[in-house]
Amino acid sequence: MTQDVLAKGRNVDRARTLKRFNTMDAAFRGVTFSAAVLVLVLLGGVIVALVEGSLPAWRAFGFGFLTTESWNPVTERFGALAPIYGTVVTSIIALILAVPVGLGIAIFLTELCPAFLRRPIGIAIELLAGIPSIIYGIWGLFVFAPFLQVYVQPALINLFGDIPVLNSLFAGPPYGIGILTASLILAIMILPFITAITRDVFETTPPMLKESAYGLGCTTWEVVYKVVLPFTRVGVIGGVMLGLGRALGETMAVTFVIGNAHRISASILAPGTTISASIANEFTEAVGDLYTSSLIALGLILFIITFIVLAAARYMLMRIERRLGN
Amino acid sequence: MYARRRFKNSLAMGLSFTAAAIGLGWLVLILGVLVYKGVSGLSLAVFTEMTPPPGSDGGLLNAIVGSIIMTAIAIALGTPIGMLAGTYMAEYGRDNKLTTTVRFINDILLSAPSIVIGLFVYEIMVVPMGHFSGIAGAVALAILVIPVVVRTTEDMLLLVPSTLREAASALGAPRWYVISKVAYRAAQTGIITGVLLAIARISGETAPLLFTALNNQFFSADLNSPMPSLPVVIFQFALSPYDDWQQLAWTGALIITVAVLTLSIFARVLTAKKAER
């Protein structure tokens, strides 16, 4: 391939060909370099655009925006507290539900599962991580929420009705949709992520470590609990935080089932809202600059929260990868 | 003592087995419901007719076409940028500061909430242009394509043995020539896999399209005007009170899921073949 290029070069002028090579090299390097820088600019651009778009809201409400619950388009009084509360609460409940199950599946896949099933189940889980969130949303609204409304929520209300604290947490009426339903859907959605990452992290445990523990007579559970988990702790936390990042930013599935009520309720059966659900629901209907700007301010808050969580997650996962490399 | 340890072990293993069964069963259940509800609405009309007003017959043609147009443009915009950035990271700046930073930022963009990307494109395109448009939707999707392609390109180029590059260089080939004719060719399947995964990811995205491309009840190939897309139509139809719209939403959901799963499986088959070689 290069021969004809070189042959031509010999005929004309070797130095000129070499120079052309060099310019092409520099050009190609320059183009790839700018593309790499563009990725950084993109993130910077997102931050700048969100800050600029949200300026009117910050000017009007100041930092009180973060601590005000009222959200009234008519009087143009906006506060972010209810969406922030909803985002954090749904994500935390989702994590509480999904982490033990996700870890359980990862343990199953790395320690218990027969070898011939390992790949198919692993692939199935990865495929499920790719299902669009709108699918979970439509399923949640038409199948899961009615099921909860008829069977689960009345039972919860009866069960905890006489117990203080818990009875305000599970206070009726059973709407079907609400904070709890959104949390459950989120848990199902982030389950494949947590499973996939913790499984990968578990597999970084050197087999020798596990074998020596088995050699000492440890049971499978003891190997997992005393060898694998301590060895992979940083990575597991990273994987869980990556799942948290997903849950915080998840939009469509939550929008379908959360009920979109801008208020903070003690009961997790009550409808609420999250940052992304508010934006998805109201953005195209927002009239007036202040309304739009307040929604963009919500977007900025969401971005900052997820950025911190994702950055911490990536840092932890990078640490475990680096250890593997050494 | 031994009995207690054994008991604890079987308890934990039993729980882990149950977790796997619950997790997989749950997800199979979702797919089952989707097929059950979606299949009954499948007909030729779905692919040949426009989205209808409530109460009359219709299909999803304009939404499907809109989705395909915007996805195609997004891939055409995002793939070269992603590939070039990945090339810099794997070929020129291996492990320098810029590469480490870009890798970190890219990973964050990879999992950043897509609705935030929608807001970003709204600010930089919809506001200056003064109206929603198909091209704004495509740009929002392109921004989601870039991190996926950057990641796979870098990973795949790093897997190419350096002896291949050295051999080409020893023959006197300049660096850009080595990269484009040797390294890219060796990493080809991996990069194609990345692009397929990116298509799978963006074809189901709804949030970033809600206020960039908006929606359109009619057929539109005009990139400068609002453009319908399958996910957004599903969103609006599912939340409507009309039965026939809801049925179309289920059918649309089935179509997207089948498309996304087919793409992911195809991508996986490609890499599996590569691994065998």
Side-chain angles (χ1 to χ4, degrees), chain A residues 264-325:
Chain A
I264 298 172
S265 173
S267 167
I268 59 168
L269 301 184
T273 192
T274 66
I275 293 177
S276 51
S278 301
I279 301 172
N281 259 311
E282 298 172 39
F283 200 79
T284 43
E285 279 140 37
V287 279
D289 288 343
L290 200 55
Y291 196 175
T292 310
S293 173
S294 299
L295 287 168
I296 295 176
L298 282 184
L300 180 64
I301 296 167
L302 175 67
F303 192 56
I304 293 171
I305 299 176
T306 48
F307 186 91
I308 294 169
V309 170
L310 291 173
R314 285 297 171 189
Y315 175 72
M316 287 171 177
L317 290 170
M318 256 157 85
R319 257 177 63 184
I320 202 145
E321 266 170 35
R322 205 172 297 152
R323 184 163 65 185
L324 191 69

Short mmCIF file of all heavy atoms in Angstrom, two decimals, chain A residues 264-325:
data_model
loop_
_atom_site.label_atom_id
_atom_site.label_comp_id
_atom_site.label_asym_id
_atom_site.label_seq_id
_atom_site.Cartn_x
_atom_site.Cartn_y
_atom_site.Cartn_z
N ILE A 264 -44.64 17.78 49.52
CA ILE A 264 -43.92 16.78 50.30
C ILE A 264 -44.90 16.16 51.27
O ILE A 264 -45.54 16.86 52.06
CB ILE A 264 -42.75 17.43 51.06
CG1 ILE A 264 -41.77 18.02 50.05
CG2 ILE A 264 -42.06 16.41 51.94
CD1 ILE A 264 -40.67 18.83 50.69
N SER A 265 -45.05 14.85 51.16
CA SER A 265 -46.00 14.17 52.02
C SER A 265 -45.25 13.15 52.85
O SER A 265 -44.28 12.54 52.40
CB SER A 265 -47.06 13.49 51.14
OG SER A 265 -47.88 12.71 51.94
N ALA A 266 -45.71 12.96 54.09
CA ALA A 266 -45.04 12.00 54.96
C ALA A 266 -45.24 10.59 54.44
O ALA A 266 -44.40 9.72 54.63
CB ALA A 266 -45.57 12.12 56.38
N SER A 267 -46.37 10.35 53.78
CA SER A 267 -46.67 8.99 53.31
C SER A 267 -45.96 8.70 52.00
O SER A 267 -45.96 9.53 51.08
CB SER A 267 -48.17 8.85 53.11
OG SER A 267 -48.44 7.67 52.39
N ILE A 268 -45.36 7.50 51.92
CA ILE A 268 -44.72 7.15 50.65
C ILE A 268 -45.73 6.58 49.66
O ILE A 268 -45.38 6.23 48.55
CB ILE A 268 -43.53 6.17 50.84
CG1 ILE A 268 -43.98 4.88 51.50
CG2 ILE A 268 -42.41 6.81 51.62
CD1 ILE A 268 -42.92 3.80 51.44
N LEU A 269 -46.98 6.46 50.07
CA LEU A 269 -48.00 6.04 49.12
C LEU A 269 -48.57 7.24 48.36
O LEU A 269 -49.25 7.09 47.36
CB LEU A 269 -49.15 5.31 49.83
CG LEU A 269 -48.78 4.06 50.62
CD1 LEU A 269 -50.03 3.41 51.19
CD2 LEU A 269 -48.02 3.07 49.76
N ALA A 270 -48.30 8.44 48.86
CA ALA A 270 -48.87 9.65 48.26
C ALA A 270 -48.14 9.99 46.97
O ALA A 270 -46.98 9.65 46.79
CB ALA A 270 -48.77 10.81 49.23
N PRO A 271 -48.84 10.67 46.04
CA PRO A 271 -48.16 11.13 44.83
C PRO A 271 -47.13 12.20 45.17
O PRO A 271 -47.28 12.92 46.16
CB PRO A 271 -49.28 11.70 43.97
CG PRO A 271 -50.52 11.63 44.73
CD PRO A 271 -50.26 11.01 46.06
N GLY A 272 -46.11 12.28 44.38
CA GLY A 272 -45.08 13.30 44.57
C GLY A 272 -44.55 13.69 43.21
O GLY A 272 -45.23 13.54 42.21
N THR A 273 -43.33 14.18 43.18
CA THR A 273 -42.70 14.47 41.90
C THR A 273 -41.20 14.36 42.07
O THR A 273 -40.69 14.31 43.19
CB THR A 273 -43.10 15.86 41.38
OG1 THR A 273 -42.69 15.97 40.02
CG2 THR A 273 -42.46 16.96 42.20
N THR A 274 -40.49 14.25 40.95
CA THR A 274 -39.04 14.32 41.00
C THR A 274 -38.60 15.43 40.07
O THR A 274 -39.40 15.97 39.31
CB THR A 274 -38.38 13.00 40.53
OG1 THR A 274 -38.65 12.83 39.14
CG2 THR A 274 -38.88 11.81 41.31
N ILE A 275 -37.30 15.76 40.13
CA ILE A 275 -36.79 16.84 39.30
C ILE A 275 -37.04 16.54 37.82
O ILE A 275 -37.64 17.34 37.10
CB ILE A 275 -35.28 17.03 39.54
CG1 ILE A 275 -35.04 17.56 40.97
CG2 ILE A 275 -34.69 17.98 38.52
CD1 ILE A 275 -33.59 17.71 41.34
N SER A 276 -36.62 15.33 37.41
CA SER A 276 -36.73 15.03 35.97
C SER A 276 -38.20 14.91 35.55
O SER A 276 -38.56 15.32 34.44
CB SER A 276 -35.95 13.76 35.64
OG SER A 276 -36.31 12.72 36.49
N ALA A 277 -39.04 14.37 36.42
CA ALA A 277 -40.46 14.25 36.06
C ALA A 277 -41.10 15.62 35.91
O ALA A 277 -41.91 15.86 35.01
CB ALA A 277 -41.20 13.42 37.11
N SER A 278 -40.75 16.57 36.80
CA SER A 278 -41.29 17.93 36.67
C SER A 278 -40.90 18.54 35.35
O SER A 278 -41.73 19.15 34.66
CB SER A 278 -40.77 18.83 37.80
OG SER A 278 -41.12 18.31 39.04
N ILE A 279 -39.61 18.39 35.00
CA ILE A 279 -39.15 18.99 33.74
C ILE A 279 -39.89 18.36 32.56
O ILE A 279 -40.41 19.05 31.68
CB ILE A 279 -37.63 18.81 33.57
CG1 ILE A 279 -36.88 19.45 34.74
CG2 ILE A 279 -37.17 19.44 32.26
CD1 ILE A 279 -35.40 19.15 34.75
N ALA A 280 -39.95 17.02 32.55
CA ALA A 280 -40.58 16.32 31.42
C ALA A 280 -42.05 16.71 31.28
O ALA A 280 -42.55 16.89 30.19
CB ALA A 280 -40.44 14.81 31.60
N ASN A 281 -42.72 16.87 32.41
CA ASN A 281 -44.15 17.15 32.38
C ASN A 281 -44.48 18.57 32.01
O ASN A 281 -45.47 18.85 31.34
CB ASN A 281 -44.74 16.88 33.75
CG ASN A 281 -45.42 15.56 33.79
OD1 ASN A 281 -46.22 15.25 32.91
ND2 ASN A 281 -45.10 14.76 34.78
N GLU A 282 -43.68 19.51 32.52
CA GLU A 282 -44.11 20.90 32.48
C GLU A 282 -43.37 21.76 31.47
O GLU A 282 -43.81 22.86 31.16
CB GLU A 282 -43.95 21.52 33.88
CG GLU A 282 -44.81 20.81 34.91
CD GLU A 282 -44.51 21.28 36.32
OE1 GLU A 282 -44.27 22.48 36.51
OE2 GLU A 282 -44.50 20.43 37.24
N PHE A 283 -42.24 21.26 30.95
CA PHE A 283 -41.38 22.16 30.19
C PHE A 283 -42.06 22.77 28.98
O PHE A 283 -42.00 23.98 28.76
CB PHE A 283 -40.09 21.46 29.76
CG PHE A 283 -38.99 22.41 29.43
CD1 PHE A 283 -38.25 23.01 30.42
CD2 PHE A 283 -38.71 22.73 28.12
CE1 PHE A 283 -37.25 23.90 30.12
CE2 PHE A 283 -37.71 23.63 27.80
CZ PHE A 283 -36.98 24.22 28.82
N THR A 284 -42.75 21.93 28.19
CA THR A 284 -43.35 22.48 26.97
C THR A 284 -44.58 23.32 27.27
O THR A 284 -45.02 24.10 26.45
CB THR A 284 -43.73 21.37 25.98
OG1 THR A 284 -44.34 20.32 26.71
CG2 THR A 284 -42.52 20.85 25.26
N GLU A 285 -45.14 23.15 28.49
CA GLU A 285 -46.32 23.93 28.83
C GLU A 285 -45.97 25.19 29.61
O GLU A 285 -46.83 26.01 29.90
CB GLU A 285 -47.29 23.08 29.65
CG GLU A 285 -48.14 22.18 28.79
CD GLU A 285 -48.33 20.81 29.42
OE1 GLU A 285 -48.45 20.75 30.65
OE2 GLU A 285 -48.36 19.82 28.68
N ALA A 286 -44.70 25.31 29.98
CA ALA A 286 -44.29 26.44 30.81
C ALA A 286 -44.43 27.75 30.03
O ALA A 286 -43.79 27.93 29.00
CB ALA A 286 -42.86 26.26 31.27
N VAL A 287 -45.29 28.63 30.52
CA VAL A 287 -45.39 29.94 29.91
C VAL A 287 -44.69 30.95 30.81
O VAL A 287 -44.79 30.89 32.02
CB VAL A 287 -46.86 30.36 29.71
CG1 VAL A 287 -47.43 29.71 28.46
CG2 VAL A 287 -47.69 29.99 30.91
N GLY A 288 -43.97 31.85 30.19
CA GLY A 288 -43.28 32.86 30.97
C GLY A 288 -41.85 32.44 31.22
O GLY A 288 -41.55 31.28 31.44
N ASP A 289 -40.95 33.43 31.18
CA ASP A 289 -39.53 33.14 31.33
C ASP A 289 -39.18 32.56 32.68
O ASP A 289 -38.34 31.68 32.81
CB ASP A 289 -38.72 34.43 31.11
CG ASP A 289 -38.72 34.82 29.64
OD1 ASP A 289 -39.06 33.94 28.84
OD2 ASP A 289 -38.41 35.98 29.34
N LEU A 290 -39.87 33.07 33.72
CA LEU A 290 -39.52 32.65 35.07
C LEU A 290 -39.84 31.17 35.28
O LEU A 290 -39.08 30.43 35.91
CB LEU A 290 -40.28 33.51 36.10
CG LEU A 290 -39.68 33.52 37.49
CD1 LEU A 290 -38.21 33.94 37.45
CD2 LEU A 290 -40.46 34.45 38.40
N TYR A 291 -40.97 30.71 34.72
CA TYR A 291 -41.38 29.31 34.83
C TYR A 291 -40.33 28.42 34.14
O TYR A 291 -39.79 27.48 34.74
CB TYR A 291 -42.76 29.15 34.17
CG TYR A 291 -43.50 27.88 34.51
CD1 TYR A 291 -44.81 27.67 34.06
CD2 TYR A 291 -42.91 26.88 35.27
CE1 TYR A 291 -45.50 26.52 34.36
CE2 TYR A 291 -43.59 25.72 35.57
CZ TYR A 291 -44.88 25.54 35.11
OH TYR A 291 -45.57 24.39 35.40
N THR A 292 -40.03 28.76 32.86
CA THR A 292 -39.02 27.99 32.12
C THR A 292 -37.70 27.99 32.85
O THR A 292 -37.05 26.94 33.02
CB THR A 292 -38.83 28.61 30.72
OG1 THR A 292 -40.12 28.78 30.12
CG2 THR A 292 -37.99 27.71 29.85
N SER A 293 -37.30 29.17 33.30
CA SER A 293 -36.02 29.30 33.96
C SER A 293 -35.97 28.48 35.25
O SER A 293 -34.94 27.87 35.57
CB SER A 293 -35.76 30.78 34.26
OG SER A 293 -34.62 30.91 35.03
N SER A 294 -37.09 28.42 35.98
CA SER A 294 -37.12 27.63 37.21
C SER A 294 -36.94 26.15 36.88
O SER A 294 -36.26 25.41 37.61
CB SER A 294 -38.43 27.82 37.95
OG SER A 294 -38.60 29.17 38.30
N LEU A 295 -37.55 25.70 35.77
CA LEU A 295 -37.38 24.30 35.38
C LEU A 295 -35.94 24.01 34.97
O LEU A 295 -35.39 22.95 35.28
CB LEU A 295 -38.35 23.96 34.23
CG LEU A 295 -39.82 23.83 34.65
CD1 LEU A 295 -40.73 23.80 33.44
CD2 LEU A 295 -40.03 22.59 35.50
N ILE A 296 -35.31 24.97 34.27
CA ILE A 296 -33.90 24.78 33.91
C ILE A 296 -33.04 24.76 35.17
O ILE A 296 -32.09 23.98 35.28
CB ILE A 296 -33.43 25.87 32.93
CG1 ILE A 296 -34.20 25.71 31.61
CG2 ILE A 296 -31.94 25.76 32.67
CD1 ILE A 296 -33.89 26.76 30.58
N ALA A 297 -33.40 25.59 36.15
CA ALA A 297 -32.68 25.57 37.43
C ALA A 297 -32.79 24.19 38.08
O ALA A 297 -31.82 23.68 38.64
CB ALA A 297 -33.22 26.66 38.36
N LEU A 298 -33.99 23.59 37.99
CA LEU A 298 -34.15 22.22 38.49
C LEU A 298 -33.18 21.29 37.76
O LEU A 298 -32.53 20.43 38.37
CB LEU A 298 -35.58 21.72 38.26
CG LEU A 298 -36.68 22.17 39.20
CD1 LEU A 298 -37.98 21.48 38.83
CD2 LEU A 298 -36.32 21.84 40.63
N GLY A 299 -33.08 21.47 36.43
CA GLY A 299 -32.16 20.64 35.64
C GLY A 299 -30.73 20.81 36.10
O GLY A 299 -29.98 19.83 36.22
N LEU A 300 -30.34 22.05 36.41
CA LEU A 300 -28.98 22.31 36.89
C LEU A 300 -28.73 21.59 38.21
O LEU A 300 -27.69 20.95 38.41
CB LEU A 300 -28.77 23.82 37.06
CG LEU A 300 -27.40 24.27 37.55
CD1 LEU A 300 -26.32 23.91 36.55
CD2 LEU A 300 -27.38 25.76 37.84
N ILE A 301 -29.71 21.67 39.12
CA ILE A 301 -29.57 21.00 40.41
C ILE A 301 -29.39 19.49 40.19
O ILE A 301 -28.50 18.86 40.77
CB ILE A 301 -30.80 21.27 41.31
CG1 ILE A 301 -30.88 22.76 41.65
CG2 ILE A 301 -30.73 20.43 42.59
CD1 ILE A 301 -32.21 23.16 42.25
N LEU A 302 -30.24 18.93 39.32
CA LEU A 302 -30.15 17.49 39.03
C LEU A 302 -28.77 17.15 38.48
O LEU A 302 -28.15 16.16 38.88
CB LEU A 302 -31.23 17.09 38.02
CG LEU A 302 -31.18 15.64 37.54
CD1 LEU A 302 -31.51 14.70 38.67
CD2 LEU A 302 -32.13 15.40 36.38
N PHE A 303 -28.29 17.99 37.56
CA PHE A 303 -27.00 17.71 36.94
C PHE A 303 -25.88 17.73 37.98
O PHE A 303 -25.01 16.87 37.99
CB PHE A 303 -26.72 18.72 35.83
CG PHE A 303 -25.55 18.33 34.96
CD1 PHE A 303 -25.53 17.10 34.34
CD2 PHE A 303 -24.49 19.19 34.78
CE1 PHE A 303 -24.46 16.72 33.55
CE2 PHE A 303 -23.42 18.82 33.99
CZ PHE A 303 -23.39 17.60 33.38
N ILE A 304 -25.94 18.72 38.89
CA ILE A 304 -24.89 18.80 39.91
C ILE A 304 -24.94 17.58 40.82
O ILE A 304 -23.91 16.95 41.10
CB ILE A 304 -25.04 20.12 40.72
CG1 ILE A 304 -24.74 21.31 39.81
CG2 ILE A 304 -24.11 20.10 41.92
CD1 ILE A 304 -25.06 22.65 40.42
N ILE A 305 -26.16 17.20 41.25
CA ILE A 305 -26.27 16.03 42.14
C ILE A 305 -25.73 14.79 41.44
O ILE A 305 -24.89 14.06 41.97
CB ILE A 305 -27.74 15.78 42.56
CG1 ILE A 305 -28.29 16.98 43.32
CG2 ILE A 305 -27.83 14.53 43.44
CD1 ILE A 305 -29.76 16.83 43.68
N THR A 306 -26.20 14.53 40.19
CA THR A 306 -25.75 13.31 39.52
C THR A 306 -24.26 13.38 39.20
O THR A 306 -23.56 12.37 39.27
CB THR A 306 -26.51 13.04 38.20
OG1 THR A 306 -26.54 14.24 37.44
CG2 THR A 306 -27.91 12.58 38.46
N PHE A 307 -23.76 14.58 38.88
CA PHE A 307 -22.33 14.70 38.59
C PHE A 307 -21.51 14.25 39.78
O PHE A 307 -20.56 13.47 39.64
CB PHE A 307 -21.99 16.16 38.23
CG PHE A 307 -20.57 16.35 37.77
CD1 PHE A 307 -20.24 16.26 36.43
CD2 PHE A 307 -19.56 16.60 38.68
CE1 PHE A 307 -18.94 16.42 36.01
CE2 PHE A 307 -18.24 16.75 38.27
CZ PHE A 307 -17.94 16.66 36.92
N ILE A 308 -21.88 14.74 40.96
CA ILE A 308 -21.12 14.37 42.16
C ILE A 308 -21.19 12.86 42.38
O ILE A 308 -20.16 12.20 42.60
CB ILE A 308 -21.66 15.13 43.39
CG1 ILE A 308 -21.39 16.63 43.22
CG2 ILE A 308 -21.03 14.62 44.66
CD1 ILE A 308 -22.09 17.51 44.22
N VAL A 309 -22.40 12.30 42.29
CA VAL A 309 -22.56 10.87 42.54
C VAL A 309 -21.79 10.04 41.51
O VAL A 309 -21.04 9.12 41.85
CB VAL A 309 -24.06 10.49 42.52
CG1 VAL A 309 -24.23 8.98 42.54
CG2 VAL A 309 -24.77 11.12 43.71
N LEU A 310 -21.94 10.40 40.21
CA LEU A 310 -21.28 9.63 39.16
C LEU A 310 -19.77 9.77 39.25
O LEU A 310 -19.03 8.80 39.04
CB LEU A 310 -21.76 10.09 37.78
CG LEU A 310 -23.21 9.76 37.43
CD1 LEU A 310 -23.60 10.41 36.12
CD2 LEU A 310 -23.41 8.26 37.36
N ALA A 311 -19.29 11.00 39.56
CA ALA A 311 -17.85 11.19 39.66
C ALA A 311 -17.28 10.32 40.77
O ALA A 311 -16.25 9.66 40.60
CB ALA A 311 -17.52 12.66 39.91
N ALA A 312 -17.97 10.29 41.92
CA ALA A 312 -17.51 9.44 43.02
C ALA A 312 -17.52 7.97 42.59
O ALA A 312 -16.56 7.23 42.86
CB ALA A 312 -18.39 9.64 44.24
N ALA A 313 -18.59 7.56 41.89
CA ALA A 313 -18.68 6.17 41.45
C ALA A 313 -17.53 5.82 40.52
O ALA A 313 -16.87 4.80 40.68
CB ALA A 313 -20.02 5.94 40.75
N ARG A 314 -17.28 6.70 39.54
CA ARG A 314 -16.22 6.43 38.56
C ARG A 314 -14.86 6.38 39.24
O ARG A 314 -14.00 5.57 38.90
CB ARG A 314 -16.21 7.51 37.48
CG ARG A 314 -17.34 7.36 36.49
CD ARG A 314 -17.22 6.05 35.74
NE ARG A 314 -18.42 5.81 34.96
CZ ARG A 314 -18.67 4.68 34.34
NH1 ARG A 314 -17.82 3.67 34.44
NH2 ARG A 314 -19.76 4.53 33.64
N TYR A 315 -14.67 7.28 40.21
CA TYR A 315 -13.39 7.30 40.91
C TYR A 315 -13.15 5.96 41.60
O TYR A 315 -12.07 5.37 41.52
CB TYR A 315 -13.39 8.45 41.93
CG TYR A 315 -12.16 8.48 42.79
CD1 TYR A 315 -10.94 8.87 42.24
CD2 TYR A 315 -12.20 8.09 44.12
CE1 TYR A 315 -9.79 8.88 43.01
CE2 TYR A 315 -11.07 8.10 44.90
CZ TYR A 315 -9.87 8.49 44.34
OH TYR A 315 -8.73 8.48 45.10
N MET A 316 -14.21 5.45 42.26
CA MET A 316 -14.05 4.18 42.96
C MET A 316 -13.81 3.03 41.99
O MET A 316 -12.97 2.17 42.23
CB MET A 316 -15.29 3.89 43.79
CG MET A 316 -15.36 4.79 45.01
SD MET A 316 -16.93 4.61 45.83
CE MET A 316 -16.64 5.69 47.22
N LEU A 317 -14.58 3.02 40.87
CA LEU A 317 -14.39 1.94 39.90
C LEU A 317 -13.01 2.02 39.26
O LEU A 317 -12.38 1.01 38.95
CB LEU A 317 -15.49 1.99 38.84
CG LEU A 317 -16.87 1.59 39.35
CD1 LEU A 317 -17.95 1.89 38.32
CD2 LEU A 317 -16.91 0.12 39.73
N MET A 318 -12.50 3.25 39.06
CA MET A 318 -11.17 3.41 38.49
C MET A 318 -10.12 2.87 39.44
O MET A 318 -9.14 2.26 39.02
CB MET A 318 -10.90 4.90 38.21
CG MET A 318 -10.99 5.27 36.74
SD MET A 318 -11.31 7.02 36.53
CE MET A 318 -9.68 7.69 36.59
N ARG A 319 -10.34 3.08 40.74
CA ARG A 319 -9.38 2.59 41.72
C ARG A 319 -9.27 1.07 41.66
O ARG A 319 -8.18 0.51 41.70
CB ARG A 319 -9.80 3.01 43.13
CG ARG A 319 -8.98 4.17 43.63
CD ARG A 319 -9.42 4.65 44.98
NE ARG A 319 -9.27 3.65 46.03
CZ ARG A 319 -9.67 3.86 47.28
NH1 ARG A 319 -10.21 4.99 47.60
NH2 ARG A 319 -9.51 2.93 48.18
N ILE A 320 -10.44 0.41 41.53
CA ILE A 320 -10.37 -1.06 41.53
C ILE A 320 -9.77 -1.56 40.22
O ILE A 320 -9.03 -2.53 40.20
CB ILE A 320 -11.75 -1.68 41.81
CG1 ILE A 320 -11.55 -3.11 42.33
CG2 ILE A 320 -12.63 -1.74 40.59
CD1 ILE A 320 -12.54 -3.50 43.36
N GLU A 321 -10.03 -0.84 39.11
CA GLU A 321 -9.43 -1.24 37.84
C GLU A 321 -7.92 -1.08 37.89
O GLU A 321 -7.17 -1.91 37.38
CB GLU A 321 -9.99 -0.39 36.70
CG GLU A 321 -11.18 -1.03 36.01
CD GLU A 321 -11.86 -0.07 35.07
OE1 GLU A 321 -11.16 0.75 34.45
OE2 GLU A 321 -13.10 -0.12 34.97
N ARG A 322 -7.48 0.01 38.52
CA ARG A 322 -6.05 0.26 38.59
C ARG A 322 -5.35 -0.83 39.40
O ARG A 322 -4.29 -1.32 39.05
CB ARG A 322 -5.79 1.63 39.22
CG ARG A 322 -4.49 2.23 38.81
CD ARG A 322 -4.37 3.66 39.29
NE ARG A 322 -5.37 4.53 38.71
CZ ARG A 322 -5.83 5.62 39.32
NH1 ARG A 322 -5.40 5.93 40.52
NH2 ARG A 322 -6.73 6.38 38.74
N ARG A 323 -6.02 -1.24 40.48
CA ARG A 323 -5.43 -2.29 41.30
C ARG A 323 -5.30 -3.58 40.48
O ARG A 323 -4.32 -4.30 40.58
CB ARG A 323 -6.30 -2.54 42.53
CG ARG A 323 -5.68 -3.55 43.46
CD ARG A 323 -6.28 -3.50 44.83
NE ARG A 323 -7.67 -3.90 44.78
CZ ARG A 323 -8.46 -3.86 45.84
NH1 ARG A 323 -8.01 -3.41 46.99
NH2 ARG A 323 -9.70 -4.25 45.76
N LEU A 324 -6.30 -3.81 39.65
CA LEU A 324 -6.28 -5.00 38.81
C LEU A 324 -5.12 -4.92 37.83
O LEU A 324 -4.47 -5.92 37.53
CB LEU A 324 -7.61 -5.11 38.04
CG LEU A 324 -7.84 -6.43 37.34
CD1 LEU A 324 -8.06 -7.52 38.36
CD2 LEU A 324 -9.04 -6.31 36.43
N GLY A 325 -4.86 -3.71 37.33
CA GLY A 325 -3.79 -3.53 36.35
C GLY A 325 -2.41 -3.75 36.95
O GLY A 325 -1.50 -4.21 36.29
#
